[in-house]
Amino acid sequence: MTEGKRQQGLEMMRQVYGWDVQDGTGEFFAQTVDHLFGEIWTRQGLSVRDRRLLLLGALAAQGLDDVAEIQAQAALGNEELDGEQLREVALFLTHYVGWPLGTKLNMTIERMLGKNERS
C-alpha cells in the first residue's frame, strides 16, 4: 500500500458515506480502503451516484436492508438522490428482485426517510 493510495481511498470513503473516516489497521480494512475505495470507486466511467444505484440494486437482491439503509442515507445526505427518487428505486427494484425483498427495501427507505423528517 502506498500512502497516496490510502489517502485516495479514505477520501473516497468520506465522499461516498458523507462522514469522516479514520485510518484503520488490518488487512480487511486495507483491502477495503486501498482497493475498493482507492481503486474501484475512483475509476472513470461511472459517477458516485451511478455506483450507489448499482450497489442499492445488489443489496436489495440479497436482502441486505441494513447496508442498503446506510447507502440510502448517504445518497440522501450527499444529495445524490432525494426521498422520491429513493422511493422510485425501491419500486423499480421490486420488479426485479421480487416482492418480498423489494418490500424490505421499501420499508427500510420509508423508515429512514421518516427518521430524517423527524430530525
Side-chain angles (χ1 to χ4, degrees):
M1 177 266 320
T2 67
E3 186 61 28
K5 184 65 66 181
R6 175 59 55 96
Q7 290 309 311
Q8 181 178 358
L10 288 169
E11 181 53 40
M12 181 53 72
M13 282 183 80
R14 288 181 191 106
Q15 181 182 343
V16 168
Y17 291 112
W19 65 69
D20 190 29
V21 178
Q22 299 298 313
D23 202 354
T25 60
E27 189 60 25
F28 187 84
F29 185 83
Q31 289 297 318
T32 300
V33 174
D34 302 345
H35 178 68
L36 178 59
F37 287 95
E39 294 179 19
I40 302 303
W41 275 84
T42 59
R43 290 178 55 84
Q44 298 296 309
L46 295 173
S47 67
V48 170
R49 182 182 186 274
D50 294 338
R51 293 174 201 281
R52 179 134 21 234
L53 287 167
L54 291 166
L55 181 52
L56 282 168
L59 295 170
Q62 297 175 74
L64 299 173
D65 52 314
D66 54 341
V67 183
E69 183 173 1
I70 293 168
Q71 293 300 324
Q73 182 65 54
L76 192 66
N78 290 341
E79 298 181 348
E80 298 159 1
L81 299 166
D82 63 26
E84 288 307 308
Q85 290 170 319
L86 286 167
R87 288 179 175 108
E88 189 64 27
V89 165
L91 179 62
F92 178 80
L93 288 172
T94 295
H95 291 80
Y96 288 92
V97 302
W99 215 259
L101 291 175
T103 299
K104 276 180 69 174
L105 178 63
N106 185 67
M107 290 172 57
T108 297
I109 288 171
E110 290 297 339
R111 183 178 57 251
M112 185 263 315
L113 291 173
K115 288 179 192 174
N116 285 335
E117 288 172 4
R118 290 188 296 272
S119 299

